[in-house]
Amino acid sequence: MIVRSRGIREYLWEASSQMQQISTAEFKNGMGLKIKDKIYTLVEFQHVKPGKGGAFVRYKIKDLRSGRVIGDQTCNAGTKFDSVMLSTKEMQYLYNDGDNYYFMDMNTYDQVPVPADFIGDNAKWLKENDTCQLMYADDDLLTVQPPMFIEVEITKTEPGFKGDTVQGSTKPATVETGAQVQVPMYLNEGDKVRIDTREGKFVARV
């Protein structure tokens, strides 16, 4: 199957006349919803039956493009939403040519090009041959997530020395993917380190 991916900063979902609708009675945590041309996942919800007035639903959603969580949303019980089928594929990052980043489906060996501006800031955590998570909403690519942890070589930093192990003492370092992180003072160029990509923080020396 050819995967459609659109590398534009303002990612717009194309409306489908056949998109399935669900009501609040069918809500499940983690399901995909389309609201005002944006794709969200349902984080949590609560059905409320007040003593007076009609029943309503209080819910929290997460914007899958920006990662922003939006809480304190309410709607009347029975309100209908457009439902989106969310799926995640593991793909191997191969290389980039400046314009596109190329990933390989490890089951079919098909290569999927993803425009650089679609990858955005996550590009600094992509290392060749690492496995990434590509999330799809129906057949359209929604996000590219790097591995939670990566092992990379320090390519640039000020020289350190073994005795400089003061707790909490760090210095900036550039790693092979181009990312800049804070590392312990004793580390040097050529050392390999484990990085938590969620926070961009040093975890351990490899």
Side-chain angles (χ1 to χ4, degrees):
M1 179 181 69
I2 298 177
V3 178
R4 294 172 291 152
S5 60
R6 288 165 295 206
I8 56 175
R9 287 187 174 85
E10 295 181 357
Y11 183 87
L12 299 178
W13 181 263
E14 294 179 356
S16 170
S17 59
Q18 298 180 349
M19 182 171 290
Q20 181 181 359
Q21 285 198 325
I22 61 168
S23 75
T24 55
E26 301 170 274
F27 269 5
K28 293 181 181 179
N29 289 342
M31 72 188 320
L33 302 173
K34 176 198 168 190
I35 304 173
K36 295 181 179 179
D37 295 324
K38 290 187 177 181
I39 306 300
Y40 299 87
T41 184
L42 185 62
V43 177
E44 60 183 37
F45 65 95
Q46 178 184 14
H47 292 279
V48 181
K49 294 182 178 180
K52 294 182 180 181
F56 65 93
V57 176
R58 181 180 293 114
Y59 61 97
K60 183 185 295 184
I61 52 178
K62 180 179 180 181
D63 186 328
L64 291 178
R65 285 290 289 129
S66 68
R68 180 187 173 208
V69 175
I70 306 170
D72 297 324
Q73 302 294 299
T74 60
C75 66
N76 293 330
T79 298
K80 292 187 178 294
F81 292 81
D82 288 331
S83 175
V84 178
M85 179 64 70
L86 299 177
S87 62
T88 301
K89 292 183 180 180
E90 287 193 345
M91 294 193 183
Q92 185 179 50
Y93 169 55
L94 300 177
Y95 65 95
N96 78 84
D97 59 13
D99 295 323
N100 293 290
Y101 285 72
Y102 292 85
F103 299 83
M104 183 177 69
D105 186 316
M106 292 180 288
N107 293 318
T108 64
Y109 301 105
D110 290 337
Q111 291 189 21
V112 178
V114 180
D117 58 354
F118 187 96
I119 300 291
D121 196 47
N122 280 334
K124 65 184 180 182
W125 306 122
L126 296 181
K127 180 185 175 185
E128 292 182 3
N129 299 320
D130 276 355
T131 301
C132 300
Q133 303 283 336
L134 277 68
M135 178 179 283
Y136 290 83
D138 291 332
D139 287 329
D140 284 358
L141 181 62
L142 191 61
T143 62
V144 175
Q145 293 295 328
M148 191 176 297
F149 299 96
I150 59 173
E151 295 181 359
V152 286
E153 181 178 320
I154 295 175
T155 56
K156 185 178 181 181
T157 192
E158 294 296 323
F161 55 93
K162 291 184 179 180
D164 200 345
T165 58
V166 178
Q167 185 174 4
S169 181
T170 63
K171 61 181 178 178
T174 302
V175 298
E176 60 184 284
T177 60
Q180 289 193 340
V181 296
Q182 292 291 321
V183 300
M185 294 293 293
Y186 61 85
L187 292 176
N188 292 297
E189 294 178 4
D191 287 337
K192 283 195 172 183
V193 293
R194 179 184 293 267
I195 302 296
D196 184 334
T197 64
R198 295 168 298 179
E199 299 180 344
K201 290 185 177 181
F202 166 85
V203 176
R205 184 178 185 176
V206 179

